[in-house]
Amino acid sequence: MKHLLPVITTLLCVSFYTQANSPAGKTILARGSVLAVDGSSEQRQLQRRDTVFGVDRITTGEKSKAQFSMSDGGLIALKENSELNIANYEFDDNTQQGSASIELLKGGLRSISGVIKKNGGSYSVKTPVGSIGIRGTHFEVQLVEGNVFLAVWDGAIDLTLENNSVVSLGDNEAFSFAQITASGEVLKTTRAARVFDQNIVTIDPKDDNEEETEQASVTEVEVNAFEADTDTMDIYSEQQFQTVSSASLVDQIAQRQGVFNYEASSFNVNSSVGAVTDFAMTMAVDFDNGTVPDGEISFNDAGGNWYAAYSGLINLSELDLAVTFASHGNNKAEGDVDAIFLNDLDNITGNFNLNEINNPDVNASGSFKLEP
């Protein structure tokens, strides 16, 4: 028996090391302070394209956010001042089977499940009040001063509380939104609390109709136009942006269904190596799942063809986008795309920046407006 103990200990260490070093996903958006700490307490700053692993603990700082494409094709977006523990994320490409367990310790996340759940695997999200089992879904969780806010945009979830009672939200349920108070009360609502657009709204436990009541001190805030890159010649001044109340935009997004394909209706592009021709830009927006599944930018200059592919998530008026591939002629490139909806969902405007990876002085940037 004594001889077996070292062997068992070694096997456990190998198992933990394998899980810790097994890729769970890839960073496709990292803005501000986005840190990951692994099982050995080694800290690293995450950047676009960086891998995240099993048992990584990820934190975002003030005015920071991150988005991850997981190994099974799922998406996870972290808001600012958040902390997420990837307790387990295993997926086999060959069998298309796996299991996942993540834990939100602080802040908020938005998740769209991937193949693991689609193929019947176990996928859970732990919160301070209980564990969320998902039924193929797109949902958000926000922690605020001991309260847990839930919003189900597609599919359904089952939250098992510490007393083993279950809160079910989403498809085929009476409610899609809820707040679990710090004292353990379950308050279901027919409207999403505006905590999901950064406005903290609590629900009055005394409301017999279980409808959302807003604090008198909370007012609707206008969504500011994105911060344009100062190096980009933006033909759309901030004054041209018609801001939208957050609640109004949430309603519009909730009501719109299907995939809309947008194309460039106007643009202004500059390149470091000469005049630009043949500009084209497309973006597919999936309102059912709250995603931008694909988008492309293409144009020519004296150095050859610029090409960029990108994807992302809808985040209220803002589109959280990340360039997944870019090139200029035969050279690899990288870049960023920023975009927002204007006063309705039929107009998207934004900026982009591209540069060759091995020669950043070769670059191009521009602004655009897209319409269906």
Side-chain angles (χ1 to χ4, degrees):
M1 182 67 181
K2 291 182 179 180
H3 296 293
L4 289 176
L5 288 177
V7 175
I8 294 173
T9 302
T10 300
L11 290 174
L12 289 174
C13 290
V14 169
S15 175
F16 177 81
Y17 181 83
T18 301
Q19 181 186 11
N21 288 274
S22 176
K26 190 171 291 291
T27 307
I28 59 176
L29 183 74
R31 292 183 179 172
S33 175
V34 182
L35 303 175
V37 178
D38 61 21
S40 62
S41 298
E42 182 178 346
Q43 180 176 282
R44 63 192 190 278
Q45 172 75 42
L46 291 179
Q47 297 179 347
R48 191 160 49 89
R49 301 194 187 95
D50 284 350
T51 299
V52 291
F53 300 92
V55 302
D56 263 348
R57 180 169 293 197
I58 301 169
T59 60
T60 58
E62 191 78 22
K63 296 181 179 179
S64 303
K65 58 186 175 181
Q67 183 178 318
F68 305 96
S69 176
M70 307 309 289
S71 56
D72 69 328
L75 291 172
I76 295 175
L78 278 184
K79 299 181 179 180
E80 66 176 342
N81 296 319
S82 296
E83 185 172 354
L84 177 71
N85 180 38
I86 304 176
N88 166 63
Y89 214 107
E90 298 178 350
F91 179 68
D92 189 319
D93 277 328
N94 295 322
T95 64
Q96 294 289 290
Q97 300 293 322
S99 63
S101 177
I102 61 178
E103 182 178 9
L104 182 65
L105 303 169
K106 177 184 176 184
L109 68 76
R110 187 174 188 178
S111 174
I112 298 175
S113 57
V115 176
I116 288 177
K117 193 58 195 176
K118 180 181 178 182
N119 289 347
S122 172
Y123 191 115
S124 66
V125 179
K126 295 181 180 179
T127 74
V129 299
S131 181
I132 299 173
I134 64 175
R135 294 184 250 152
T137 194
H138 170 197
F139 69 99
E140 285 188 68
V141 184
Q142 182 76 42
L143 310 182
V144 182
E145 298 178 350
N147 295 278
V148 177
F149 292 86
L150 302 166
V152 180
W153 306 111
D154 186 48
I157 65 173
D158 298 308
L159 170 63
T160 302
L161 301 175
E162 293 179 352
N163 62 7
N164 291 323
S165 64
V166 178
V167 179
S168 297
L169 302 169
D171 291 352
N172 299 317
E173 303 293 342
F175 299 92
S176 293
F177 311 100
Q179 174 190 349
I180 315 300
T181 70
S183 61
E185 293 179 274
V186 178
L187 306 167
K188 298 179 181 180
T189 68
T190 56
R191 294 174 54 206
R194 280 191 286 162
V195 65
F196 292 110
D197 60 11
Q198 306 304 318
N199 301 309
I200 298 174
V201 176
T202 59
I203 305 169
D204 187 354
K206 298 178 182 178
D207 189 340
D208 294 334
N209 294 324
E210 294 187 329
E211 289 292 333
E212 184 182 54
T213 59
E214 302 173 8
Q215 294 176 336
S217 59
V218 178
T219 58
E220 284 193 359
V221 254
E222 293 182 328
V223 180
N224 295 323
F226 64 91
E227 297 177 0
D229 192 312
T230 54
D231 295 329
T232 301
M233 295 181 64
D234 190 352
I235 58 175
Y236 304 106
S237 66
E238 186 173 351
Q239 288 72 26
Q240 288 178 286
F241 292 138
Q242 299 182 36
T243 54
V244 190
S245 72
S246 301
S248 171
L249 192 57
V250 169
D251 290 341
Q252 290 184 52
I253 292 174
Q255 291 170 10
R256 181 158 293 192
Q257 297 179 333
V259 178
F260 282 65
N261 295 302
Y262 294 78
E263 295 183 355
S265 59
S266 56
F267 57 89
N268 183 21
V269 183
N270 293 285
S271 169
S272 64
V273 292
V276 170
T277 61
D278 302 321
F279 180 84
M281 182 173 181
T282 60
M283 181 188 299
V285 180
D286 185 343
F287 288 97
D288 291 336
N289 294 306
T291 64
V292 178
D294 59 76
E296 295 182 337
I297 301 173
S298 177
F299 56 93
N300 298 316
D301 62 15
N305 175 255
W306 283 96
Y307 175 80
Y310 61 92
S311 60
L313 293 171
I314 300 174
N315 184 11
L316 291 179
S317 69
E318 183 180 5
L319 298 166
D320 283 342
L321 304 174
V323 173
T324 55
F325 174 82
S327 62
H328 182 219
N330 295 321
N331 302 313
K332 290 184 178 180
E334 60 184 0
D336 296 292
V337 182
D338 293 298
I340 62 168
F341 289 111
L342 291 181
N343 61 313
D344 55 38
L345 301 180
D346 292 329
N347 293 277
I348 298 173
T349 189
N351 295 308
F352 70 86
N353 292 279
L354 300 170
N355 62 268
E356 291 187 4
I357 294 176
N358 294 328
N359 188 6
D361 290 336
V362 177
N363 56 73
S365 60
S367 56
F368 56 83
K369 182 177 181 181
L370 306 178
E371 296 178 351

